[in-house]
Amino acid sequence: MGCVAAVIGAGLSAFSGVYFEMILKHDMKVSLFARNLQLCLFTVPMSVLAVYTGDWETVQRQGWLAGFTPLVWDVVLLQAFGGLVVAACMKYADNIMKNFASSGAIILGAAVSVFFFKFEMTFAFGVGVVLVLTSMLMYDPQFCDCMGVAAPPDERESLTAPSETDKSPGP
Protein backbone atom coordinates (compact mmCIF):
# COMPACT_ATOMS: atom_id res chain seq x y z
CA MET A 1 0.00 0.00 0.00
CA GLY A 2 2.86 2.38 0.82
CA CYS A 3 4.52 1.84 -2.57
CA VAL A 4 1.26 2.52 -4.37
CA ALA A 5 0.78 5.72 -2.38
CA ALA A 6 4.36 6.79 -3.18
CA VAL A 7 3.88 6.15 -6.90
CA ILE A 8 0.58 8.05 -6.90
CA GLY A 9 2.19 10.93 -4.98
CA ALA A 10 5.13 11.05 -7.39
CA GLY A 11 2.80 11.02 -10.38
CA LEU A 12 0.64 13.81 -8.97
CA SER A 13 3.73 15.84 -8.10
CA ALA A 14 5.13 15.41 -11.61
CA PHE A 15 1.80 16.34 -13.19
CA SER A 16 1.39 19.42 -11.01
CA GLY A 17 4.95 20.57 -11.74
CA VAL A 18 4.54 20.20 -15.50
CA TYR A 19 1.09 21.82 -15.42
CA PHE A 20 2.41 24.71 -13.32
CA GLU A 21 5.25 25.21 -15.81
CA MET A 22 2.78 25.19 -18.69
CA ILE A 23 0.61 27.80 -16.97
CA LEU A 24 3.60 30.05 -16.26
CA LYS A 25 5.02 29.81 -19.78
CA HIS A 26 1.78 29.73 -21.76
CA ASP A 27 1.06 33.43 -21.60
CA MET A 28 4.36 35.31 -21.29
CA LYS A 29 2.50 38.65 -21.24
CA VAL A 30 1.44 38.08 -17.63
CA SER A 31 4.05 39.18 -15.10
CA LEU A 32 5.51 36.98 -12.41
CA PHE A 33 3.75 39.15 -9.81
CA ALA A 34 0.37 38.58 -11.48
CA ARG A 35 0.92 34.80 -11.62
CA ASN A 36 1.81 34.73 -7.92
CA LEU A 37 -1.27 36.81 -7.16
CA GLN A 38 -3.42 34.32 -9.11
CA LEU A 39 -2.01 31.45 -7.04
CA CYS A 40 -2.52 33.45 -3.85
CA LEU A 41 -6.18 34.04 -4.67
CA PHE A 42 -6.63 30.27 -4.74
CA THR A 43 -4.81 29.52 -1.47
CA VAL A 44 -5.96 32.37 0.79
CA PRO A 45 -9.62 31.26 1.01
CA MET A 46 -8.51 27.71 1.80
CA SER A 47 -6.21 28.99 4.56
CA VAL A 48 -8.94 31.16 6.06
CA LEU A 49 -11.28 28.16 6.03
CA ALA A 50 -8.63 26.07 7.82
CA VAL A 51 -8.22 28.76 10.50
CA TYR A 52 -11.99 29.10 10.90
CA THR A 53 -12.50 25.35 11.36
CA GLY A 54 -9.47 24.73 13.58
CA ASP A 55 -8.36 27.79 15.53
CA TRP A 56 -11.19 30.31 15.39
CA GLU A 57 -11.54 30.60 19.17
CA THR A 58 -7.82 31.37 19.55
CA VAL A 59 -7.99 33.96 16.78
CA GLN A 60 -10.95 35.65 18.46
CA ARG A 61 -9.14 35.75 21.82
CA GLN A 62 -5.61 36.66 20.76
CA GLY A 63 -5.88 38.04 17.22
CA TRP A 64 -4.68 36.84 13.82
CA LEU A 65 -0.96 37.28 14.54
CA ALA A 66 -0.81 35.68 18.00
CA GLY A 67 2.50 33.90 18.52
CA PHE A 68 4.29 35.62 15.64
CA THR A 69 7.75 36.22 17.05
CA PRO A 70 10.61 37.80 15.09
CA LEU A 71 11.85 34.29 14.30
CA VAL A 72 8.45 33.34 12.86
CA TRP A 73 8.45 36.51 10.74
CA ASP A 74 11.91 35.58 9.46
CA VAL A 75 10.60 32.16 8.42
CA VAL A 76 7.55 33.74 6.75
CA LEU A 77 9.76 36.14 4.77
CA LEU A 78 12.16 33.34 3.86
CA GLN A 79 9.27 31.21 2.58
CA ALA A 80 7.87 34.14 0.60
CA PHE A 81 11.27 34.79 -0.98
CA GLY A 82 11.61 31.09 -1.74
CA GLY A 83 8.24 31.13 -3.49
CA LEU A 84 9.35 34.02 -5.69
CA VAL A 85 12.58 32.21 -6.52
CA VAL A 86 10.68 29.04 -7.46
CA ALA A 87 8.29 31.04 -9.66
CA ALA A 88 11.22 32.77 -11.38
CA CYS A 89 12.97 29.43 -11.85
CA MET A 90 9.83 27.95 -13.37
CA LYS A 91 9.34 30.92 -15.68
CA TYR A 92 12.90 31.19 -16.93
CA ALA A 93 14.08 27.56 -16.64
CA ASP A 94 11.93 24.44 -16.38
CA ASN A 95 10.39 22.00 -13.93
CA ILE A 96 13.40 19.66 -14.03
CA MET A 97 15.82 22.45 -13.16
CA LYS A 98 13.53 23.50 -10.28
CA ASN A 99 13.62 19.96 -8.92
CA PHE A 100 17.41 19.85 -9.26
CA ALA A 101 17.65 23.19 -7.44
CA SER A 102 15.42 21.86 -4.64
CA SER A 103 17.50 18.70 -4.35
CA GLY A 104 20.71 20.71 -4.37
CA ALA A 105 19.33 22.96 -1.62
CA ILE A 106 18.55 19.90 0.51
CA ILE A 107 22.08 18.59 -0.01
CA LEU A 108 23.60 21.99 0.79
CA GLY A 109 21.38 22.33 3.86
CA ALA A 110 22.46 18.89 5.07
CA ALA A 111 26.13 19.73 4.50
CA VAL A 112 25.77 22.94 6.52
CA SER A 113 23.86 21.02 9.23
CA VAL A 114 26.81 18.66 9.65
CA PHE A 115 28.97 21.56 10.81
CA PHE A 116 26.44 23.65 12.74
CA PHE A 117 24.06 21.06 14.20
CA LYS A 118 26.20 17.90 14.27
CA PHE A 119 23.91 16.19 11.74
CA GLU A 120 25.10 12.68 11.00
CA MET A 121 24.81 11.58 7.38
CA THR A 122 23.50 8.06 6.88
CA PHE A 123 24.56 5.70 4.13
CA ALA A 124 21.15 6.03 2.45
CA PHE A 125 21.46 9.83 2.44
CA GLY A 126 24.94 9.53 0.91
CA VAL A 127 23.58 7.26 -1.84
CA GLY A 128 20.85 9.83 -2.48
CA VAL A 129 23.41 12.62 -2.73
CA VAL A 130 25.44 10.63 -5.26
CA LEU A 131 22.32 9.85 -7.30
CA VAL A 132 21.19 13.49 -7.33
CA LEU A 133 24.62 14.82 -8.33
CA THR A 134 25.00 12.15 -11.01
CA SER A 135 21.57 12.92 -12.43
CA MET A 136 22.44 16.63 -12.53
CA LEU A 137 25.55 15.89 -14.55
CA MET A 138 23.70 13.49 -16.84
CA TYR A 139 20.96 16.07 -17.48
CA ASP A 140 23.47 18.69 -18.64
CA PRO A 141 26.92 17.20 -19.26
CA GLN A 142 28.25 20.57 -20.46
CA PHE A 143 27.67 21.97 -16.96
CA CYS A 144 30.81 20.20 -15.76
CA ASP A 145 33.33 18.27 -17.81
CA CYS A 146 34.54 16.43 -14.73
CA MET A 147 33.47 13.09 -16.23
CA GLY A 148 34.91 13.73 -19.69
CA VAL A 149 31.52 13.52 -21.40
CA ALA A 150 31.05 17.09 -22.59
CA ALA A 151 31.69 17.82 -26.21
CA PRO A 152 34.87 19.75 -27.09
CA PRO A 153 34.35 23.50 -27.67
CA ASP A 154 34.48 23.18 -31.48
CA GLU A 155 31.85 20.41 -31.42
CA ARG A 156 29.63 22.42 -29.05
CA GLU A 157 29.53 25.25 -31.58
CA SER A 158 28.64 22.87 -34.39
CA LEU A 159 25.85 21.39 -32.27
CA THR A 160 24.22 24.78 -31.74
CA ALA A 161 25.14 26.71 -34.90
CA PRO A 162 23.30 25.91 -38.14
CA SER A 163 25.46 24.25 -40.75
CA GLU A 164 25.96 25.60 -44.26
CA THR A 165 23.53 23.01 -45.66
CA ASP A 166 20.80 24.11 -43.22
CA LYS A 167 20.82 27.69 -44.48
CA SER A 168 18.29 28.46 -47.18
CA PRO A 169 19.59 30.25 -50.27
CA GLY A 170 19.07 34.00 -50.30
CA PRO A 171 17.05 35.91 -52.90
Side-chain angles (χ1 to χ4, degrees):
M1 183 65 160
C3 290
V4 172
V7 168
I8 290 172
L12 290 174
S13 176
F15 173 76
S16 66
V18 170
Y19 184 71
F20 181 56
E21 180 180 354
M22 182 191 75
I23 287 174
L24 280 178
K25 292 183 178 179
H26 180 68
D27 186 11
M28 297 297 280
K29 297 177 194 129
V30 177
S31 71
L32 200 58
F33 176 77
R35 287 289 184 210
N36 280 333
L37 187 61
Q38 289 170 345
L39 291 171
C40 173
L41 291 176
F42 175 73
T43 58
V44 167
M46 292 176 64
S47 299
V48 169
L49 181 64
V51 168
Y52 183 72
T53 59
D55 294 326
W56 187 244
E57 294 83 22
T58 306
V59 169
Q60 286 181 325
R61 277 193 322 261
Q62 299 176 357
W64 283 94
L65 301 177
F68 271 58
T69 64
L71 179 62
V72 173
W73 278 111
D74 289 344
V75 171
V76 167
L77 293 174
L78 186 63
Q79 290 292 326
F81 178 72
L84 293 174
V85 169
V86 166
C89 180
M90 292 293 288
K91 185 168 184 172
Y92 299 112
D94 61 6
N95 188 38
I96 297 172
M97 292 303 288
K98 180 200 67 93
N99 290 334
F100 282 149
S102 297
S103 301
I106 291 170
I107 292 169
L108 183 62
V112 169
S113 295
V114 167
F115 296 109
F116 288 110
F117 305 114
K118 306 297 185 231
F119 174 70
E120 294 183 19
M121 298 256 192
T122 63
F123 177 75
F125 190 85
V127 169
V129 168
V130 169
L131 288 174
V132 166
L133 295 176
T134 303
S135 65
M136 285 179 179
L137 292 174
M138 289 175 67
Y139 181 71
D140 186 10
Q142 295 180 1
F143 176 72
C144 171
D145 194 16
C146 51
M147 300 174 81
V149 294
D154 57 336
E155 276 186 49
R156 285 185 204 154
E157 292 171 9
S158 67
L159 291 174
T160 58
S163 65
E164 292 297 322
T165 58
D166 291 341
K167 294 180 182 175
S168 59

